[in-house]
């Protein structure tokens, strides 16, 4: 993060929290034929993730049923995806998204890119554990079998979660910048490997120096160079890594804008980013969105979504009057 930005989400722990009262209210909301969707939104979007997990425990001991199971049974469509998504812990939610991205008809490469290009070492480690627990499967093996080429090599590198942290070496940065520049000129398999090794393994701080040196050597921005030299998902993944290194909230603002405007509201992407970033940096993402695109995220969601689905997304986004 630059400009001394304070990193902030949009969802915080609720004061005077009582999981038993919340579980009773949810039980009431989910009973019978109808379903009090407003109550579900009011409770689940106004509690932090740790509190929601406590509500699920209270619900289980009170009714002998699984809250996620009941939400899946009673709700439908995208509204269901939002409410169910809120009930997973962050590592479990990442695991859930990756599993579904790989196990459906055709692999959803953009989901793999969004998650693996942006997560920290600790987040990747927890996500791998959650994936194994939830699906009895190995995340690395599944990525290996569902992807191919240099795109696969880069994902396999990222999913190890072994990026250096906090370390800078100006001399090494100048050397790495030369390697990147050469990789964009020569484009051999070996150069592609060196390129992804640098982008996946060097610390964010080190890569800042590398990108500066690259600009000085080549007179070109690293993103422009990658876009010119490479194509396909390999290129998209490399660019995503660079954008996350530079400014993660700006990367997610860009992904949301493109999901909303270029893909006719790509629901899965919008839901995934809002939920996954809600307690990390969604406030910063909202700010970047407004700065870059002129309209607020709140405004664009309001324009494209409707009903309880819209209400739930706006509640997570936590927009206010000035956002209209």
């Amino acid at each position: 993060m630059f400009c001394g930005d304070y990193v902030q989400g949009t969802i915080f722990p609720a004061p005077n929290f009582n999981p038993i009262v919340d579980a009773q209210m949810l039980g009431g909301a989910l009973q019978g034929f109808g379903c009090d969707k407003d109550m579900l939104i009011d409770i689940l979007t106004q509690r932090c993730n740790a509190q929601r997990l406590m509500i699920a425990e209270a619900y289980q001991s009170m009714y002998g049923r699984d809250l996620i199971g009941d939400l899946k049974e009673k709700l439908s469509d995208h509204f269901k995806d939002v409410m169910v998504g809120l009930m997973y812990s962050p590592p479990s939610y990442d695991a859930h998204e990756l599993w579904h991205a790989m196990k459906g008809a055709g692999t959803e490469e953009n989901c793999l890119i969004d998650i693996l290009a942006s997560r920290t070492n600790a987040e990747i480690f927890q996500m791998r554990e959650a994936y194994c627990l939830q699906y009895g499967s190995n995340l690395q093996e599944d990525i290996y079998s569902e992807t191919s080429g240099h795109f696969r090599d880069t994902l396999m590198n990222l999913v190890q979660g072994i990026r250096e942290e906090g370390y800078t070496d100006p001399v090494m940065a100048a050397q790495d910048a030369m390697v990147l520049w050469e990789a964009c000129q020569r484009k051999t398999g070996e150069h592609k490997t060196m390129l992804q090794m640098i982008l996946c393994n060097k610390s964010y701080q080190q890569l800042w120096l590398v990108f500066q040196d690259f600009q000085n050597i080549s007179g070109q921005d690293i993103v422009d160079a990658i876009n010119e030299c490479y194509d396909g998902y390999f290129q998209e993944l490399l660019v995503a890594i660079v954008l996350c290194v530079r400014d993660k909230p700006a990367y997610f603002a860009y992904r949301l804008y493109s999901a909303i405007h270029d893909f006719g509201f790509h629901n899965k992407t919008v839901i995934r980013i809002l939920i996954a970033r809600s307690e990390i940096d969604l406030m910063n993402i909202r700010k970047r969105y407004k700065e870059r695109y002129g309209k607020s995220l709140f405004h664009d969601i309001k324009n494209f979504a409707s009903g309880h689905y819209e209400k739930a997304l706006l509640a997570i986004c936590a927009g206010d009057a000035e956002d209209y």
Side-chain angles (χ1 to χ4, degrees):
M1 293 296 303
F2 58 96
C3 316
D5 263 349
Y6 178 55
V7 186
Q8 195 180 31
T10 53
I11 292 180
F12 304 95
N16 312 317
F17 169 63
N18 186 329
I20 293 168
V21 171
D22 283 350
Q24 280 172 332
M25 303 283 273
L26 289 176
L30 290 165
Q31 293 308 314
F33 294 113
C35 176
D36 187 346
K37 296 187 177 111
D38 291 313
M39 173 77 73
L40 297 181
I41 294 170
D42 290 346
I43 294 176
L44 296 181
T45 66
Q46 303 306 309
R47 310 288 182 269
C48 70
N49 187 261
Q51 291 176 332
R52 281 182 225 122
L53 298 181
M54 290 165 75
I55 294 169
E57 275 182 34
Y59 188 93
Q60 177 77 48
S61 58
M62 198 178 286
Y63 299 104
R65 289 199 312 274
D66 174 44
L67 180 52
I68 287 184
D70 282 1
L71 290 168
K72 282 181 178 172
E73 189 186 317
K74 291 282 184 178
L75 306 176
S76 60
D77 302 326
H78 302 307
F79 179 62
K80 173 178 81 174
D81 298 337
V82 178
M83 292 295 108
V84 169
L86 288 168
M87 294 310 304
Y88 289 99
S89 68
S92 295
Y93 187 56
D94 279 348
H96 171 270
E97 292 295 289
L98 291 170
W99 170 262
H100 288 282
M102 291 189 282
K103 295 303 165 188
T107 304
E108 269 185 79
E109 285 84 359
N110 279 318
C111 173
L112 304 185
I113 292 171
D114 272 354
I115 293 176
L116 293 170
S118 65
R119 302 308 192 249
T120 64
N121 288 350
E123 287 167 341
I124 287 169
F125 179 75
Q126 292 175 320
M127 167 206 311
R128 287 205 322 251
E129 292 215 307
Y131 191 92
C132 187
L133 279 171
Q134 277 160 243
Y135 303 107
S137 196
N138 179 300
L139 180 56
Q140 284 106 310
E141 286 172 15
D142 285 355
I143 289 171
Y144 191 84
S145 68
E146 297 296 327
T147 56
S148 61
H150 289 282
F151 177 58
R152 169 167 73 189
D153 297 344
T154 312
L155 290 173
M156 292 299 288
N157 199 340
L158 289 170
V159 79
Q160 290 180 70
I162 52 170
R163 184 183 293 285
E164 292 167 1
E165 290 179 342
Y167 172 77
T168 56
D169 175 346
V171 177
M172 193 70 211
Q175 289 173 10
D176 284 343
M178 279 304 293
V179 172
L180 291 185
W181 187 67
E182 220 176 273
C184 287
Q185 306 302 306
R186 308 269 292 280
K187 297 188 260 195
T188 66
E190 192 186 339
H191 283 96
K192 286 181 184 174
T193 300
M194 292 189 317
L195 176 64
Q196 63 94 350
M197 293 289 280
I198 291 169
L199 291 182
C200 295
N201 297 337
K202 303 290 175 168
S203 73
Y204 273 27
Q205 293 88 334
Q206 179 71 3
L207 286 173
W208 273 66
L209 297 180
V210 174
F211 299 159
Q212 257 171 325
D213 286 342
F214 182 91
Q215 175 91 42
N216 297 338
I217 294 164
S218 67
Q220 195 178 25
D221 183 74
I222 182 78
V223 171
D224 296 333
I226 292 169
N227 285 336
E228 267 179 34
C229 300
Y230 297 104
D231 56 17
Y233 292 119
F234 179 57
Q235 168 254 327
E236 285 185 39
L237 178 54
L238 297 180
V239 168
I241 296 168
V242 174
L243 296 179
C244 284
V245 169
R246 285 191 167 154
D247 185 346
K248 213 170 272 184
Y251 169 71
F252 283 117
Y254 151 71
R255 289 288 297 131
L256 282 166
Y257 186 83
S258 121
I260 292 170
H261 293 275
D262 302 341
F263 295 97
F265 211 87
H266 193 263
N267 296 286
K268 281 183 177 175
T269 303
V270 174
I271 294 168
R272 180 177 63 247
I273 294 173
L274 291 188
I275 291 178
R277 309 310 293 184
S278 61
E279 290 182 45
I280 302 174
D281 54 5
L282 187 51
M283 198 61 91
N284 307 78
I285 293 168
R286 272 178 44 189
K287 197 174 140 203
R288 291 284 187 272
Y289 195 98
K290 186 81 180 274
E291 287 165 3
R292 299 212 164 185
Y293 306 112
K295 291 265 177 14
S296 72
L297 180 56
F298 199 76
H299 169 278
D300 280 355
I301 290 171
K302 230 174 153 38
N303 255 5
F304 283 90
S306 61
H308 286 96
Y309 174 46
E310 173 201 332
K311 193 176 174 190
L313 292 180
L314 294 179
I316 295 167
C317 194
D320 41 44
E322 76 224 30
D323 269 332
Y324 279 88

